[in-house]
Amino acid sequence: MGKFMDVHHGMQGITADQLKEAHRRDLAIEAEEGVHFEQAWADPKSGTVYCLSDAPSADAVKRVHAQAGHPVTEVHEVSLTVS
Amino acid sequence: MGKFMDVHHGMQGITADQLKEAHRRDLAIEAEEGVHFEQAWADPKSGTVYCLSDAPSADAVKRVHAQAGHPVTEVHEVSLTVS
C-alpha cells in the first residue's frame, strides 16, 4: 500500500455538493480495489481537484475514479509526507 | 484566510530529510506572512511536491516559499474540502 495524490482538471465551477457526491461515489466502490480516499480539495475557479488516497497502486486509484464517473490521468505516488 | 494547495516540480530524488528540512524552513518564517503550512507530500520519482496551507492569499504562500529557498508558481486556493 502507498499514498497517492491524483489531480483532476477541467472541473470549473464545481460546488461543495458536487465534490461531496463525487467523494461519496468513490467511497461506495473503493473497497473493491483496496483503495481508500482520505481527503479531497477543490479549486472551483481553476477547476482543479486534488484527491489523497491510500491504495495498492496508481492503476487501482484510476480504476475507482473511472468507475465512479470521474476518470483521472494524473496520479502520483507520494511516498514522503511531512506535517 | 483560505486553504491553498501549491505544487513544486523538478524535485526528482528528494529525500525524506530534504522534505523535512524544506518544511522546517517554511515553518520558521511563515508567521511573518500569516501563513501556516499544514502538510506536504512528495513524489521523488516525478519530482512533484504538494503543500497544503492556510494563508491570507496565494501571494503570501509564494512569498514564504520564495524566502525559504523553494519558490513556487503554481498555487491554487482550494475553497472546498471533503474528508
Side-chain angles (χ1 to χ4, degrees):
Chain A
M1 292 290 283
K3 206 165 269 302
F4 293 83
M5 184 76 83
D6 67 79
V7 188
H8 303 253
H9 300 281
M11 312 285 280
Q12 281 83 358
I14 186 172
T15 65
D17 280 351
Q18 286 169 335
L19 182 65
K20 219 177 287 182
E21 171 60 14
H23 189 59
R24 193 199 58 72
R25 286 204 304 270
D26 287 327
L27 296 183
I29 58 168
E30 64 181 15
E32 294 168 25
E33 294 283 354
V35 174
H36 177 55
F37 285 96
E38 294 183 344
Q39 286 187 80
W41 301 269
D43 172 12
K45 221 164 160 180
S46 70
T48 316
V49 179
Y50 302 92
C51 301
L52 185 71
S53 61
D54 279 313
S57 70
D59 281 344
V61 171
K62 286 179 187 176
R63 282 193 293 268
V64 175
H65 271 340
Q67 248 188 283
H70 38 260
V72 74
T73 55
E74 197 179 333
V75 183
H76 289 298
E77 179 162 10
V78 285
S79 53
L80 307 177
T81 307
V82 288
S83 57
Chain B
M1 293 291 282
K3 208 164 268 302
F4 293 83
M5 186 75 84
D6 66 80
V7 189
H8 303 254
H9 301 280
M11 313 286 280
Q12 280 83 358
I14 187 171
T15 66
D17 281 351
Q18 287 169 334
L19 181 65
K20 220 178 284 181
E21 171 60 13
H23 189 59
R24 193 199 58 72
R25 287 205 304 271
D26 286 327
L27 296 183
I29 58 168
E30 64 181 14
E32 296 169 23
E33 295 283 355
V35 174
H36 177 54
F37 285 97
E38 294 184 344
Q39 286 188 80
W41 300 269
D43 172 13
K45 222 165 161 181
S46 70
T48 315
V49 179
Y50 301 92
C51 301
L52 185 71
S53 61
D54 278 313
S57 70
D59 281 343
V61 171
K62 286 180 186 173
R63 282 193 294 269
V64 175
H65 271 341
Q67 248 188 282
H70 38 262
V72 74
T73 55
E74 196 177 331
V75 184
H76 289 297
E77 179 161 9
V78 284
S79 53
L80 306 178
T81 308
V82 287
S83 58

